Amino acid sequence: MKVWRLDPDVEPGAASMDAAELDRMVTELEETLAAGKLFHGAQMTVYRGGKRVLDVGGGMARVRTGVPVTPDSLFVLFSATKGLAGLAMLMLYERKKFHYDEPVSKYWPEFTRDVPQKAAITIRHVMSHRAGFPLGPRWLDAEKWGDRAAIRKAMEEVRLRFTPGERNAYHAMNYGHMVNELCTRIDGRDCGAFLREEVFAPLGLRDLHLGLPDDAKLRDRVAWCYNEINLSPGKGAARSTGVVSGEMTAQQPASQQDVEAPGSDIPGQSRRPPARYADIPEMWQEFNWPETQRAVLPAAGAIGTARDLGAVYAFLAQGGARGELALVSRDGLAFATTPTNRHGDMDGTIGYPIRWGLGFHMGMLGRGSSLRSFGHAGAGGQIGFADPDRELAFAFATNGELAPEFQLWRYRLQGMAFDACR
């Protein structure tokens, strides 16, 4: 299957990149698309020194209706959104609007009303997946993701599963619900509006959204999602979140096993579309619903191209400032990407040791990455990351992994991007 390849900003050699290695990345993508085993369609982009040196893609965006992936195709970015939300909070922190060690209740007094023990939860706990309520409540399903009042109520009543700060356990959706409410209360704008006005517009990015505008032409550009979401702790969550590969050996801490019991707080996903979308089979996936795509979901709801996601990380790879435009400082980025947990600490949701910063995860971003490399992966195969030592940025967007081998394949591809640096 042929792929398209856009002209780069500069020739690879001008950015100290090995053109032959980039060509091998294109060949790898083309051959994998042709095999049809790992995904239907994808985009991939690489930046070095702030310059786009590779922008390639292909395959099918919507299989049943024969819509191909083009340079303008948009993808649901799932948890790759979390890094953008982390950036928004870091910007507010550097503007001295809050401190990470302040309690959430300082800005949201009602947060502790139903569960007084949540008074101990700080903003740092939220940003590092240590707040103590990784899942639930069960009633907060996709039908309510656009209802801000319902989300607030859910976060206020959700029960603790462990003592805040005790350990890390990936808060797959609750991270975003918390960040959006905090951003709104601290800044006056929700996370989507903040990013649009303070990040996307200043960077000239027109194809990156958190809360897709109600525009039929934009909606028609969004690739359908084909990946199933399973947040059961262990291998299911590992594969669904995209943070690590579900092929690796997951460990499920005994303290988290209770969340798989009947009636627990694991949101389910039906393979049948709701009645209102009965004529569109792909609507079994809630992230294909127009109302989900319009909702501001900082945990999983960003929609965009790999090119624009990569552009954000390209800016951060250069320290968060370029010319007269400054989003964050180098010191701020170093602070937000300092591990908040110890080497080898097992994540209580995913079942793997993950190094969490404040909105980002570090390391495990390809052969050649280090703990200074930071970004965020997402369900279905999405990822965006920066490596400040090489001023390298990489982004990959797809419409859903079809086999668990995908993530190890993409990991090797990310390693090729590091190999291309000269």
Side-chain angles (χ1 to χ4, degrees):
M1 182 178 292
K2 292 292 184 182
V3 300
W4 47 261
R5 184 175 184 176
L6 299 186
D7 290 337
D9 292 338
V10 297
E11 291 302 314
S16 300
M17 294 291 281
D18 184 336
E21 189 67 18
L22 295 178
D23 289 344
R24 283 189 283 273
M25 293 176 69
V26 175
T27 299
E28 181 67 28
L29 177 65
E30 191 168 41
E31 291 178 350
T32 304
L33 276 168
K37 295 181 179 179
L38 298 187
F39 49 90
H40 293 301
Q43 297 171 341
M44 176 174 62
T45 187
V46 178
Y47 290 77
R48 182 88 189 276
K51 302 296 184 182
R52 183 169 46 90
V53 294
L54 182 63
D55 194 343
V56 62
M60 302 305 297
R62 298 186 174 189
V63 177
R64 179 174 56 84
T65 55
V67 177
V69 171
T70 73
D72 295 325
S73 294
L74 304 174
F75 292 85
V76 178
L77 298 177
F78 290 100
S79 287
T81 308
K82 288 184 174 73
L84 301 175
L87 171 61
M89 292 299 285
L90 176 59
M91 292 172 69
L92 289 171
Y93 168 75
E94 290 212 302
R95 295 175 186 182
K96 302 187 185 305
K97 296 293 186 73
F98 77 93
H99 195 283
Y100 286 104
D101 291 320
E102 291 176 326
V104 168
S105 59
K106 175 179 179 179
Y107 302 96
W108 187 352
E110 305 86 351
F111 178 64
T112 62
R113 181 181 55 206
D114 295 330
V115 186
Q117 294 88 343
K118 291 196 292 190
I121 298 173
T122 66
I123 298 175
R124 183 186 298 273
H125 291 151
V126 171
M127 302 306 297
S128 58
H129 301 279
R130 303 175 76 86
F133 51 101
L135 295 169
R138 189 179 181 87
W139 63 260
L140 185 64
D141 57 19
E143 295 284 0
K144 302 177 185 68
W145 284 346
D147 185 339
R148 289 287 302 280
I151 290 174
R152 280 194 297 272
K153 181 177 185 294
M155 295 301 97
E156 289 165 6
E157 72 175 40
V158 66
R159 67 188 189 277
L160 292 174
R161 296 196 175 281
F162 56 85
T163 302
E166 180 181 82
R167 60 180 180 275
N168 56 288
Y170 188 56
H171 289 48
M173 292 300 295
N174 290 348
Y175 165 97
H177 299 326
M178 293 296 297
V179 167
N180 200 35
E181 189 64 24
L182 284 166
C183 185
T184 303
R185 289 171 180 259
I186 291 169
D187 178 73
R189 292 170 287 184
D190 66 30
C191 195
F194 182 90
L195 286 167
R196 181 175 64 250
E197 296 170 10
E198 301 286 350
V199 178
F200 304 157
L203 291 179
L205 307 179
R206 302 178 61 184
D207 287 331
L208 193 54
H209 310 271
L210 180 52
L212 193 71
D214 191 7
D215 181 324
K217 290 183 178 179
L218 266 181
R219 198 160 55 245
D220 288 345
R221 290 169 55 194
V222 181
W224 279 329
C225 306
Y226 295 93
N227 52 295
E228 186 172 0
I229 305 297
N230 173 9
L231 297 180
S232 300
K235 186 171 290 190
R239 183 175 176 187
S240 289
T241 59
V243 176
V244 294
S245 172
E247 283 293 275
M248 299 167 67
T249 301
Q251 295 184 28
Q252 182 179 333
S255 58
Q256 290 288 23
Q257 290 176 1
D258 65 316
V259 300
E260 291 193 292
S264 69
D265 290 337
I266 299 170
Q269 185 172 52
S270 170
R271 295 291 300 193
R272 294 175 298 184
R276 65 185 180 276
Y277 296 125
D279 59 337
I280 308 175
E282 293 78 8
M283 291 298 177
W284 69 267
Q285 214 320 341
E286 295 99 325
F287 284 89
N288 288 332
W289 299 355
E291 57 268 41
T292 300
Q293 296 177 356
R294 290 194 299 268
V296 177
L297 298 170
I303 293 175
T305 59
R307 179 173 57 255
D308 278 10
L309 178 62
V312 173
Y313 280 103
F315 196 85
L316 298 181
Q318 292 189 290
R322 187 187 303 148
E324 296 183 357
L325 177 61
L327 300 182
V328 291
S329 69
R330 288 185 183 274
D331 287 345
L333 275 175
F335 174 72
T337 58
T338 298
T340 60
N341 57 339
R342 296 168 299 182
H343 175 72
D345 281 354
M346 199 69 64
D347 185 277
T349 301
I350 299 174
Y352 300 99
I354 305 292
R355 301 306 294 273
W356 294 110
L358 299 173
F360 305 97
H361 59 81
M362 289 79 67
M364 293 181 64
L365 293 171
R367 186 185 64 255
S369 65
S370 71
L371 272 183
R372 281 176 48 79
S373 311
F374 64 91
H376 214 292
Q382 330 300 23
I383 195 167
F385 69 81
D387 182 83
D389 292 336
R390 300 169 180 81
E391 295 191 356
L392 175 72
F394 177 97
F396 191 98
T398 181
N399 47 5
E401 56 160 309
L402 303 179
E405 297 83 8
F406 165 82
Q407 290 182 40
L408 294 179
W409 172 85
R410 194 198 61 203
Y411 184 85
R412 290 193 295 271
L413 201 65
Q414 293 160 206
M416 294 172 73
F418 282 98
D419 290 343
C421 296
R422 295 292 180 260

